[in-house]
Amino acid sequence: MSAEQETPWGRVADDRTVYVRTADGERAVGQYPEGTPEEALKFFTNRFEALSFEVDLLHQRVNSGALAPEEAAKSVKAVRDQVVDAHAVGDLDSLLAKLDALSPVIDKQRDERKAERAAKVAESKERKDAIVAEAEKLAGSNDWRNGANRLRDLLEEWKALPRLERSADDALWRRFSTARTNYTRRRKAHFSEQAERREGARAVKEKLATQAEALADSTEWGPTANKFRDLMRDWKAAGPAPRDVDDALWKRFRGAQDTFFGARDAANAALDAEFEANAVVKDQILVEAEALLPVTDLDAAKRAFRDIADRWDAAGKVPRGRIKELEARIRKVEQAIRSVEDEQWRKSDPEKSARADDMIGKLETAIDETKAKLEAARAAGDANKVKKLESDLESRQAFLEMARKTAADFNG
């Protein structure tokens, strides 16, 4: 047989049967009746190269982790079966060895994936526990604005998490679902009650708007202003009406208020202009009144102030913005005169003077008696009694001094 008809891995027999050599011996892989022995070997060697390429590609994919372990194991088995029965000439044993070497790789990847899944399941359980806890907290809250959105977000997060062992996953899901149901039920009840209250507020506010409109053209400024204050109090207490009518009712109510108070302000402005001249007169009167202070002659000051008070009343009303200022100034003069009068009366009050004199007499008598007792105690050598009587005497003498000063005030 020529060199072209034989390789380390196979040969071509004279009858054009092609054989491959493996560790198990030689076996026929086919015939190539057409062409030369060299072409026959070339044909079956090309098959081997194609098979080798497929093995190399699978080797790379398995080692890179591109295939799941179960899929990789199936692929390795399928390719290995092809290699075992391959109608090809080449180092088939090396291909089988390369495929067999993938088994521990796949086992390791299977263990890693199992550990990874376990870690993800543990992480999923921890997160699902947290989701359930938050959902149950929301279920008992009154956060109607944000609670529904948050529960929706939690549901989407739950869906994205890996499932747990069935019984554990189902138990957590029941708690989560129950929390969502309870929250939704309470939220619906809340908004239902709120809608009822808003409808009640609508009826109240429609009535208040109608009452306000009936008062808009009133010229009874004081009583009507009080009525508007009462209506505003009732308006605030009514609470919000449905949003689509609340603004419209408020415009009616506020419009009636603005009409009334605008007319009142215009009328007051006209009166203020009319009363401005009265304020000028009162300013002049105040110059005279304040010149009476400080009071040096009470009777003269009282006579002068009586005349000033008459002219003050006769001057009439002043603009509202000046009432407090002017009244405070005239009252200050009046109070100063009255204070001087009260002080003089206090000093000349005969009853108080008599009581002060009586007190002096009693204290003088008591002091004389204490002095006599003190001399007797000293003569008897009673030190304790002497000490007590000296203290009593000192105290009564202090009171006597105070009483004499008070009597002096009363007697001028």
Side-chain angles (χ1 to χ4, degrees), residues 20 26 33 63 68 72 80 94 97 106 215 236 271 275 290 301 326 330-331 348 357 398:
V20 65
E26 189 179 72
N63 278 293
R80 194 179 191 287
S94 69
I106 294 173
L215 295 172
K236 292 179 178 178
L271 288 176
F275 295 155
E290 289 169 344
L326 296 173
I330 195 67
R331 293 291 169 258
S348 62
D357 290 342

Side-chain angles (χ1 to χ4, degrees), residues 101 231 245 293 359:
L231 291 178
V245 299
L293 304 181
M359 177 63 72

Side-chain angles (χ1 to χ4, degrees), residues 135-167:
E136 289 174 339
K137 183 177 180 181
L138 283 171
S141 77
N142 296 329
D143 186 1
W144 311 123
R145 174 174 297 181
N146 301 312
N149 292 335
R150 182 55 184 158
L151 283 172
R152 192 176 301 112
D153 293 342
L154 292 175
L155 177 60
E156 293 304 315
E157 185 179 357
W158 180 285
K159 291 178 180 178
L161 292 170
R163 281 185 60 84
L164 312 178
E165 185 272 326
R166 183 170 182 176
S167 61

Side-chain angles (χ1 to χ4, degrees), residues 1-7 10-14 16 36-38 41:
M1 183 176 292
S2 64
E4 290 77 14
Q5 295 172 303
E6 185 173 359
T7 71
R11 65 183 180 86
V12 181
D14 292 338
R16 296 296 190 269
T36 67
E38 183 181 36
L41 281 175

Side-chain angles (χ1 to χ4, degrees), residues 64-81:
S64 67
L67 297 176
E70 297 305 320
E71 183 182 359
K74 290 179 181 179
S75 298
V76 168
K77 183 179 184 306
V79 173
R80 194 179 191 287
D81 290 343

Side-chain angles (χ1 to χ4, degrees), residues 62-63 65 67-74 76-77 99-117:
V62 170
N63 278 293
L67 297 176
E70 297 305 320
E71 183 182 359
K74 290 179 181 179
V76 168
K77 183 179 184 306
L99 289 171
D100 291 341
L102 292 176
S103 292
V105 174
I106 294 173
D107 290 341
K108 181 181 179 183
Q109 290 177 348
R110 185 180 288 111
D111 291 340
E112 289 174 349
R113 295 235 178 164
K114 184 177 180 181
E116 184 180 347
R117 282 196 300 271

